[in-house]
Amino acid sequence: GEDVEQSLFLSVREGDSSVINCTYTDSSSTYLYWYKQEPGAGLQLLTYIFSNMDMKQDQRLTVLLNKKDKHLSLRIADTQTGDSAIYFCAESTSGGGNKLTFGTGTQLKVEL
Amino acid sequence: ETGVTQSPTHLIKTRGQQVTLRCSSQSGHNTVSWYQQALGQGPQFIFQYYREEENGRGNFPPRFSGLQFPNYSSELNVNALELDDSALYLCASSVPGQYFSTDTQYFGPGTRLTVL
């Protein structure tokens, strides 16, 4: 079956690094995504990683994938107050349309 | 700015009523997916349309139905509304890659539906 889990809350100080973790159960996942949702807004795609990769870096964002343990993480370097939001990881599988299965979201709070 | 728009922004209905939510995708995006996001939860996949045909459905009853039109707009219809249907409804559009697994989904801002 498909299940994606995330911790609910993370608090960091401005300038520190944030690490948001996610575990998934579907071994047939082909792509894994990180989305950001600000209050009252839709989902903004931050980055994604193909399942045969173990790391992807995009400016302040680093995604690490441990396929053996089905563990995904998002590291945000030099976290800013504008990074405060809810972060969702999501997995997709091939075939039958690109259905995304989302985690419950991690609320990141950045304090001064 | 994803180029995906949804209307209305907010909507209040009563139990038993029917509702139609609308989504306008980016030009050329022939796949649209709808998600339901209950308060404090992650989005749940409702269904996807590709070239005006349903192409995958999540665990939602038949009273949730959809339409996709040639002009890249789409609708989500919900009949016999229940209190638990209160949620943020998101549409996402994309251009499918090979085997539908490489496309990036661009989300609209959502419609907040409240059922009283």
Side-chain angles (χ1 to χ4, degrees), chain A residues 5-107:
Chain A
E5 294 187 355
Q6 301 178 237
S7 52
L8 291 179
F9 190 77
L10 176 66
S11 178
V12 299
R13 288 187 178 177
E14 190 178 39
D16 287 351
S17 293
S18 307
V19 179
I20 302 171
N21 295 300
C22 171
T23 57
Y24 61 98
T25 57
D26 192 340
S27 58
S28 63
S29 295
T30 51
Y31 280 85
L32 295 130
Y33 300 82
W34 284 103
Y35 282 87
K36 176 183 179 183
Q37 187 175 39
E38 296 182 80
L43 299 174
Q44 174 194 352
L45 176 67
L46 291 176
T47 187
Y48 64 90
I49 189 167
F50 187 46
S51 58
N52 69 352
M53 299 170 62
D54 52 19
M55 187 181 90
K56 180 179 180 182
Q57 188 156 0
D58 184 0
Q59 300 182 332
R60 292 191 299 124
L61 305 178
T62 302
V63 179
L64 295 178
L65 174 61
N66 181 329
K67 195 171 181 181
K68 174 176 170 289
D69 294 337
K70 299 190 184 68
H71 182 266
L72 180 74
S73 68
L74 173 70
R75 178 177 179 270
I76 305 173
D78 188 25
T79 312
Q80 303 297 307
T81 54
D83 295 324
S84 292
I86 300 176
Y87 290 79
F88 292 96
C89 67
E91 61 176 351
S92 71
T93 55
S94 60
N98 188 10
K99 164 190 170 182
L100 292 178
T101 301
F102 286 85
T104 52
T106 298
Q107 183 169 359

Side-chain angles (χ1 to χ4, degrees), chain A residues 31 35 37 45 97-98 100, chain B residues 35 37 48 100-101 103-105:
Chain A
Y31 280 85
Y35 282 87
Q37 187 175 39
L45 176 67
N98 188 10
L100 292 178
Chain B
Y35 294 81
Q37 186 179 17
Q48 182 181 85
F100 293 90
S101 62
D103 61 316
T104 297
Q105 296 194 22

Side-chain angles (χ1 to χ4, degrees), chain B residues 34-45:
Chain B
W34 285 90
Y35 294 81
Q36 180 196 65
Q37 186 179 17
L39 197 62
Q41 301 295 317
Q44 299 288 316
F45 176 75

